Amino acid sequence: MAGHSHRALTENLRGILALLERDQTTAREYFLKAQASNPRQPIGFLNCAFLDVHEDRFEEAIRNVEKVIYPTYWPMTSNPVLLSSAYVIKGVAETESKKFKAAEASFQKAAALHPQSSEVYVYWSRMLRKSGRPAEAERKLFQARQNSVFFENYPEMALLYFWLTEQGDQPLDRRTSQAEAL
């Protein structure tokens, strides 16, 4: 199993490199290979879900994320940062599907798991803005900026290299800051 585990991590990183080269097709292929090499490793599922959201395949994104976070008493990973990232991706998919209550619950869970996250609050702010709650959105964005000093990078997570765009036909936005200006 150890060989498969290492292979899965390598395949996942090759997917990240493909994303950095703006080759989403190859990135997805490597993320799927990572899942096949080690179905118990959450990163391949999370990065596929990230691409699903970017490509406006929201239900597929939620299905991929749910493989990592459910059942909640036995998640695929106990790492709170990775679980938080899963809930952020789920929240973005729910936001784009206009399921604002579900999205808010996902962002609340993400923030509870990783209170020092900046991206939780950036995407939560976007959801609040889209649901007509601009004052709350500003407070969440302020929190994102406050938390940016605590940024922790996981090289295997696409969510930490790119901002999800709100239109699937746009190229991924490379992150240049921890809390974007909306």
Side-chain angles (χ1 to χ4, degrees):
M1 188 66 159
H4 295 298
S5 193
H6 288 11
R7 183 173 55 225
L9 292 173
T10 300
E11 289 163 341
N12 182 73
L13 288 175
R14 291 186 76 180
I16 293 292
L17 289 172
L19 282 181
L20 291 169
E21 295 170 354
R22 297 190 178 271
D23 185 350
Q24 291 173 212
T25 302
T26 300
R28 183 177 294 280
E29 289 171 10
Y30 276 114
F31 297 147
L32 290 171
K33 285 180 183 181
Q35 289 176 27
S37 292
N38 186 356
R40 297 174 61 170
Q41 171 55 260
I43 302 299
F45 293 99
L46 295 179
N47 285 336
C48 273
F50 176 89
L51 275 178
D52 292 336
V53 170
H54 176 67
E55 296 168 357
D56 295 341
R57 296 170 4 177
F58 307 120
E59 292 307 314
E60 193 169 330
I62 291 169
R63 280 194 301 277
N64 267 314
V65 166
E66 287 177 345
K67 292 173 186 171
V68 176
I69 60 177
Y70 293 127
T72 55
Y73 60 86
W74 196 265
M76 188 181 285
T77 180
S78 60
N79 182 313
V81 175
L82 292 181
L83 279 175
S84 176
S85 294
Y87 279 102
V88 168
I89 293 167
K90 184 174 183 279
V92 174
E94 291 162 339
T95 297
E96 295 304 312
S97 300
K98 300 196 182 341
K99 298 174 184 171
F100 298 127
K101 279 189 180 204
E104 186 146 34
S106 292
F107 293 131
Q108 286 170 343
K109 183 73 171 174
L113 285 162
H114 187 42
Q116 295 178 325
S117 169
S118 55
E119 60 272 355
V120 170
Y121 294 100
V122 168
Y123 291 115
W124 197 347
S125 175
R126 284 184 183 179
M127 183 279 297
L128 290 167
R129 192 174 309 282
K130 284 185 171 206
S131 64
R133 297 159 60 189
E136 291 174 80
E138 282 305 311
R139 287 193 292 275
K140 296 300 181 199
L141 193 54
F142 178 79
Q143 185 66 52
R145 289 186 184 114
Q146 295 293 108
N147 285 4
S148 66
V149 298
F150 302 113
F151 181 71
E152 184 176 2
N153 193 2
Y154 278 58
E156 63 271 20
M157 283 295 302
L159 183 67
L160 301 178
Y161 285 93
F162 303 96
W163 290 115
L164 282 165
T165 59
E166 293 174 323
Q167 298 84 26
D169 59 348
Q170 299 297 312
L172 285 167
D173 283 336
R174 182 76 194 269
R175 286 177 69 154
T176 57
S177 67
Q178 305 319 316
E180 69 181 72
L182 293 176

